[in-house]
Amino acid sequence: MTIKTLQDLLSEGVEGRGVLVRSDLNVPLDFPVSSDPQAVASGGVITDPGRIIASAPTIKALAEAGAKVVVTAHLGRPKGEPDPKLSLAPVAARLAEELGRNVQLAGDVVGQDALARSEGLTDGDVLLLENIRFDPRETSKDDAQRAKLAAALVELVGDDGAFVSDGFGVVHRKQASVFDVAKLLPHYAGGLVAAETEVLKKLTEQSERPYAVVLGGSKVSDKLAVIEALAPKVDTLVIGGGMCFTFLAAQGLSVGGSLLQAEMIDTCKDLLDKYADVIHLPRDIVVADKFAADAESKVVPANEIPDGWMGLDIGPESTARFGALLTEAKTVFWNGPMGVFEFEQFAAGTRGVAEAIVVATGKGAFTVVGGGDSAAAVRSLGLPDDGFSHISTGGGASLEYLEGKELPGIAVLEEDTVED
């Protein structure tokens, strides 16, 4: 079934109606060192507003059309109870800047303050509920508990309300504000979710060759399913980051003190045997004597990592070799940094790979950055957003889609019935 979209809802008319929007506003925060409890309670400083910027158009379109917009979102991983450090207060302020209008912040999720504020909304107003994960029912495995929270969310927009799913970064989660609420209200895909889904469909169904995939990050186990799903379909699979050391160990090499998943070595051997012509591993490594920004470092061949030293980036030869493969590709998907890019001396591999993808984009390739740390790297390294065809807001959701898994938050939007 075709999923109804934001444009369908706007065509039906939203003036005077309550609309619940599930956004992904889970932005990284930096907390200044302070012993003042009030400073902590005021929230951190947003270091990458990308998800807020991406979420704003859907909210703005609804507000400008006269809807009473109630936004729900999470921040971080609170343990089912309020945590001042994870309040959405700084998010509300930044969202207001993007929208060019006031954003109220409720003092709770679905409590008295949220209810009172929602009842006082006028056409075009925007209310952001406090961190949805402050309520343990949001992530409960108990269907009945999630359903109760979903019903409370519906109460905030009324029986004639609507639900817009626009948090692509959470559509792979079966959670109250993502899945259960869609069963209780007429539901629509927001602009962001619709765009993200179209991009991933293009990657899986209409990709031009050569097709290159770049995978990094720390653990092979986190990317195993996507490797198995994509390796038979792509021309080049570049592997860097911490996960490359388990592959190097599978080739019989010593990796010193580098990150290693010993239990995955046999799996990596099988993958290397099966896809020897597709998988590309680093030939040189930047190693360090400790995990720190000021560590002593040197470049060594991948087969000469010294005992007691750890690999924290791919080396310059590998960066150049990977770059040559990527600049000639017509389709590129990138998920995961090549090294510890947060430390300047270990950022060159990630920067080099990213710059090669930018070159490919300039030559007409369709290039996708798969959210998470890759998106953070693009911005922290000062690379242009428009150097890529698309920067996803959902790393985990992107990977699960490419693995061929059903995403609960998308599947529920395909249902045309609403429960009483």
Side-chain angles (χ1 to χ4, degrees):
M1 178 195 162
T2 303
I3 295 173
K4 285 190 174 183
T5 67
L6 173 66
Q7 291 308 314
D8 293 321
L9 175 58
L10 292 172
S11 297
E12 293 167 14
V14 294
E15 187 172 1
R17 289 179 70 186
V19 178
L20 180 69
V21 181
R22 189 11 164 138
S23 297
D24 180 8
L25 305 176
N26 187 28
V27 292
L29 298 177
D30 185 31
F31 292 91
V33 178
S34 175
S35 58
D36 181 358
Q38 286 191 329
V40 172
S42 67
V45 176
I46 296 169
T47 57
D48 177 7
R51 284 176 170 164
I52 298 174
I53 294 168
S55 300
T58 289
I59 299 168
K60 189 171 186 177
L62 288 165
E64 289 181 346
K68 302 171 183 177
V69 186
V70 178
V71 182
T72 182
H74 76 282
L75 183 62
R77 295 181 177 178
K79 297 179 177 164
E81 60 185 26
D83 179 348
K85 273 192 167 186
L86 296 176
S87 168
L88 285 172
V91 172
R94 187 66 175 83
L95 180 60
E97 288 180 31
E98 285 300 314
L99 297 176
R101 65 179 64 219
N102 180 54
V103 174
Q104 297 183 53
L105 177 66
D108 48 31
V109 179
V110 289
Q112 290 186 342
D113 191 55
L115 202 54
R117 287 178 182 271
S118 65
E119 289 174 351
L121 292 177
T122 58
D123 296 1
D125 283 352
V126 178
L127 169 64
L128 176 61
L129 305 178
E130 189 49 285
N131 192 332
I132 187 72
R133 290 187 183 172
F134 284 178
D135 191 314
R137 296 174 294 179
E138 166 69 357
T139 57
S140 175
K141 301 298 183 189
D142 185 329
D143 292 352
Q145 288 299 311
R146 291 198 320 275
K148 285 179 182 177
L149 176 56
L153 288 167
V154 170
E155 190 177 352
L156 300 178
V157 294
D159 293 337
D160 67 339
F163 172 61
V164 175
S165 177
D166 207 40
F168 181 74
V170 290
V171 293
H172 58 314
R173 307 292 188 193
K174 192 174 183 179
Q175 296 177 347
S177 68
V178 178
F179 177 82
D180 300 88
V181 76
K183 291 182 167 290
L184 303 177
L185 286 172
H187 40 263
Y188 307 79
L192 181 59
V193 162
E196 294 266 20
T197 305
E198 281 306 307
V199 164
L200 292 171
K201 277 185 181 176
K202 187 171 180 179
L203 279 178
T204 53
E205 299 171 12
Q206 304 161 346
S207 53
E208 277 193 71
R209 315 297 288 251
Y211 184 178
V213 170
V214 184
L215 295 178
S218 57
K219 294 182 178 179
V220 176
S221 54
D222 290 344
K223 305 285 170 72
L224 177 61
V226 78
I227 292 171
E228 291 177 333
L230 292 181
K233 303 175 183 176
V234 304
D235 302 288
T236 299
L237 178 54
V238 167
I239 294 178
M243 62 187 285
C244 78
F245 298 106
T246 303
F247 278 93
L248 293 174
Q251 293 182 321
L253 305 182
S254 171
V255 297
S258 305
L259 189 64
L260 177 67
Q261 281 189 284
E263 73 281 6
M264 298 296 294
I265 288 176
D266 287 343
T267 300
C268 289
K269 279 181 183 176
D270 292 342
L271 289 168
L272 289 170
D273 288 343
K274 194 170 184 181
Y275 303 109
D277 56 338
V278 173
I279 294 175
H280 297 264
L281 298 175
R283 292 178 182 169
D284 59 338
I285 301 291
V286 182
V287 296
D289 63 347
K290 60 182 177 180
F291 187 87
D294 62 351
E296 183 183 343
S297 65
K298 58 186 177 182
V299 178
V300 300
N303 62 351
E304 295 180 17
I305 298 175
D307 290 344
W309 289 65
M310 63 185 73
L312 296 185
D313 196 11
I314 61 173
E317 180 191 342
S318 300
T319 302
R321 190 165 61 92
F322 292 170
L325 292 167
L326 296 171
T327 54
E328 295 306 311
K330 293 293 185 186
T331 304
V332 181
F333 175 74
W334 172 32
N335 181 279
M338 297 293 97
V340 186
F341 70 91
E342 296 90 346
F343 297 157
E344 180 58 34
Q345 67 169 324
F346 305 114
T350 300
R351 181 186 296 279
V353 163
E355 288 174 343
I357 297 173
V358 170
V359 170
T361 309
K363 293 167 68 174
F366 181 65
T367 60
V368 179
V369 180
D373 285 343
S374 306
V378 165
R379 295 180 178 116
S380 71
L381 295 174
L383 298 166
D385 281 14
D386 61 5
F388 308 88
S389 305
H390 181 74
I391 299 178
S392 177
T393 57
S398 295
L399 289 178
E400 291 200 13
Y401 187 101
L402 293 175
E403 290 165 17
K405 290 183 179 178
E406 180 178 88
L407 306 183
I410 298 295
V412 74
L413 298 179
E414 296 173 342
E415 299 176 11
D416 59 359
T417 56
V418 175
E419 294 178 1
D420 295 330

